[in-house]
Amino acid sequence: EGAIRGGRSVAVPLDGYYAVYAADRNGTLLRYSTIWIIGICGILTLRNNLNRSAAALQASERRFRMLIEQAPEGIVVFDAATNQVVDANAALERLFGCDRNELLQGGLERFYSMEQPDGRSAQDSMRENIQRVLSGERIKAEISIKSTDDRICLCELYLAILPSKQEKLIRGSFIDITERKHAEQELRHSYELMSYIIKHDTSALAVHDKDFKYLFVSERYLEDYKVKDREVIGKHHYDIFPDLPQKWRDVHLKALAGITSRAENDRYDREDGSVEWTTWECRPWYEASGEIGGFVVYTDVVTDQIKAEEQKLLLQQQLHQAQKMEAIGTLAGGIAHDFNNILAAIIGYTEIAREACVEESTIAKNLGKVLDAGQRAADLVRQILAFSRQAETESISIQPARIIQEAIKLLRPVLPSTIIIKEHLDT
């Protein structure tokens, strides 16, 4: 059992198969070669594309890193979930006064000052800003930071969320505005100081821009031009004074062309009919660029000074008249003294001559009239001396009618015939 007792021989003709194989082998080889070549080319192309993409990505990252590092503002990326700084640039290192490794060891609240511009605590301010950013807002805020070297800086903070599925990354930009704030405060102080100085200037002073709108105005201006109860700042000058004469409009246009105009003791007619006298000047003012920014009007009401000068001139004329009268009185006094001496001789010799004459004679009567005339002349001399204050006066009772009659007798011979004297006296 199990011994081989015989065998079978099987023969298969393979020539036909070999013929088919030989005919198909070249096509199959060609197809596989084509596929292989295409695959190799695809692999090489894919590898080159991957290399180019990687190089472009690296170049983009380098450019991004360069932009971040060379940015003038401090830029930080931190994770809102862990409150951890993820990245920062060199400007932020300089702003906070520490290196990047120290920045990456914690959050940002350690650099916030205790007192914030909005009056809240650093924790409350930061917490609210982060919540608003996570809700999709882009935040702009002013914060106060304290660097490691105890510098207090006021910064503008811009916050925005970065696209990330796994992390809550927020980008923050810190811009140091400390110097700008100081400049703004100094500018505001300069503006307020200028406004204060102009407001309390003793002259009527107004500053206009090139659109004829009021920029500054003094209290004296508001009082002199009767607009104290109106808000003129920002208003057009011609809206405040719609009936302004063309003369002033021309002066304003000249100032905007760079020409300064002025006048002294200029007449100004008010709407109520009163007249004022003013001394004024209108000159241009210039911007920092050198361009004309508007014009300034200085006005002083000199009506009181004009009236005072007129009164002074009147007093001077009265003084000159008084001096002339005094000189005339002095002259009259001197003449009266000499004339009084002459009268004394006339009256004395007339009395001697009358005593030598027969009473009731014509000569005696004539000499009596001469004595009466001499006495009247002596009385007139005494009045002249009293007028010139060169003789002592005495208060006596008089009869005005008689004095007037005597004065008329003296005046008739010396007055022209064209002058008629009419007298109405109660005797």
Side-chain angles (χ1 to χ4, degrees):
E1 185 178 0
I4 297 174
R5 297 182 65 180
R8 180 186 295 178
S9 176
V10 180
V12 179
L14 298 178
D15 293 337
Y17 293 102
Y18 286 139
V20 174
Y21 171 74
D24 189 56
R25 182 181 56 186
N26 294 332
T28 301
L29 182 61
L30 180 60
R31 287 192 298 272
Y32 279 102
S33 298
T34 301
I35 293 173
W36 184 81
I37 292 173
I38 292 173
I40 292 298
C41 291
I43 292 172
L44 293 176
T45 301
L46 181 60
R47 187 180 68 177
N48 290 336
N49 288 339
L50 290 175
N51 289 336
R52 285 196 296 270
S53 298
L57 182 59
Q58 291 177 357
S60 177
E61 290 180 351
R62 286 195 297 270
R63 287 195 301 272
F64 177 75
R65 174 54 63 180
M66 185 178 298
L67 289 174
I68 295 298
E69 289 298 327
Q70 294 182 356
E73 68 270 17
I75 299 177
V76 63
V77 176
F78 66 95
D79 190 347
T82 62
N83 195 24
Q84 190 75 19
V85 175
V86 177
D87 200 357
N89 67 347
L92 192 72
E93 296 178 29
R94 293 191 296 269
L95 183 61
F96 287 174
C98 58
D99 57 20
R100 187 169 306 178
N101 293 330
E102 186 175 352
L103 286 172
L104 299 179
Q105 293 176 4
L108 293 174
E109 68 277 358
R110 54 199 166 122
F111 298 105
Y112 277 48
S113 301
M114 295 300 296
E115 295 292 335
Q116 291 298 308
D118 57 6
R120 295 181 299 173
S121 65
Q123 292 78 7
D124 293 341
S125 178
M126 186 173 183
R127 188 183 305 112
E128 179 182 347
N129 289 337
I130 291 176
Q131 290 176 355
R132 292 173 59 187
V133 171
L134 293 178
S135 64
E137 293 186 46
R138 298 176 69 89
I139 300 298
K140 175 186 175 182
E142 289 187 3
I143 66 168
S144 177
I145 65 171
K146 182 177 182 180
S147 63
T148 56
D149 54 357
D150 294 331
R151 286 183 298 108
I152 302 297
C153 300
L154 189 63
C155 296
E156 273 185 353
L157 174 62
Y158 297 85
L159 296 176
I161 191 169
L162 296 178
S164 177
K165 295 183 180 180
Q166 292 81 16
E167 299 173 311
K168 297 179 180 180
L169 299 181
I170 296 177
R171 177 187 61 81
S173 298
F174 292 82
I175 302 177
D176 189 355
I177 60 172
T178 306
E179 294 184 0
R180 190 183 79 188
K181 283 295 183 181
H182 288 166
E184 290 177 354
Q185 291 176 356
E186 292 178 358
L187 183 62
R188 187 180 301 107
H189 174 70
S190 298
Y191 178 87
E192 293 174 351
L193 179 60
M194 179 180 295
S195 178
Y196 177 83
I197 293 174
I198 292 177
K199 179 179 180 181
H200 296 89
D201 196 288
T202 56
S203 299
L205 191 155
V207 182
H208 306 266
D209 62 13
K210 57 185 178 183
D211 295 325
F212 299 92
K213 294 181 178 179
Y214 284 91
L215 298 179
F216 302 97
V217 67
S218 68
E219 291 287 342
R220 181 65 179 273
Y221 180 93
L222 299 177
E223 294 176 358
D224 287 351
Y225 290 96
K226 316 302 182 185
V227 289
K228 188 173 180 62
D229 57 340
R230 301 178 63 180
E231 181 58 46
V232 300
I233 301 300
K235 300 292 183 61
H236 197 286
H237 183 46
Y238 300 158
D239 291 339
I240 303 298
F241 299 101
D243 299 327
L244 196 69
Q246 185 62 39
K247 179 187 84 169
W248 287 104
R249 298 174 188 262
D250 295 339
V251 167
H252 298 158
L253 292 177
K254 287 181 180 180
L256 293 179
I259 301 174
T260 298
S261 305
R262 59 177 60 87
E264 294 185 0
N265 301 338
D266 191 25
R267 182 187 177 97
Y268 177 75
D269 296 315
R270 295 191 177 276
E271 296 179 358
D272 58 2
S274 61
V275 177
E276 295 281 5
W277 297 90
T278 62
T279 296
W280 57 267
E281 178 179 284
C282 182
R283 62 170 54 248
W285 62 268
Y286 297 86
E287 302 278 5
S289 61
E291 298 181 354
I292 294 177
F295 58 92
V296 186
V297 179
Y298 306 87
T299 308
D300 284 316
V301 177
V302 294
T303 305
D304 293 339
Q305 292 90 320
I306 294 293
K307 292 181 178 179
E309 290 178 0
E310 292 177 351
Q311 184 67 22
K312 180 180 178 181
L313 180 61
L314 179 61
L315 292 176
Q316 288 178 345
Q317 292 175 349
Q318 293 176 349
L319 176 61
H320 292 162
Q321 184 66 24
Q323 290 174 343
K324 289 168 61 177
M325 294 300 294
E326 183 179 1
I328 292 174
T330 302
L331 177 62
I335 295 175
H337 274 296
D338 294 338
F339 190 58
N340 193 37
N341 295 333
I342 296 173
L343 283 175
I346 293 174
I347 293 172
Y349 283 109
T350 301
E351 289 178 346
I352 294 173
R354 191 180 65 174
E355 291 178 354
C357 294
V358 179
E359 293 186 5
E360 302 298 330
S361 65
T362 302
I363 296 176
K365 293 179 179 179
N366 291 336
L367 290 176
K369 292 186 177 296
V370 171
L371 285 174
D372 292 338
Q375 292 297 334
R376 289 198 297 270
D379 292 339
L380 179 62
V381 168
R382 282 195 296 272
Q383 293 176 9
I384 294 175
L385 290 174
F387 171 76
S388 64
R389 293 187 175 87
Q390 295 189 14
E392 294 184 359
T393 60
E394 180 182 359
S395 298
I396 59 175
S397 299
I398 61 173
Q399 296 180 357
R402 182 179 177 183
I403 294 176
I404 293 174
Q405 289 174 347
E406 293 294 332
I408 291 174
K409 291 179 182 179
L410 292 174
L411 286 175
R412 284 190 191 279
V414 298
L415 291 178
S417 60
T418 55
I419 297 178
I420 299 175
I421 299 177
K422 295 182 179 181
E423 54 182 282
H424 300 281
L425 303 175
D426 292 333
T427 59

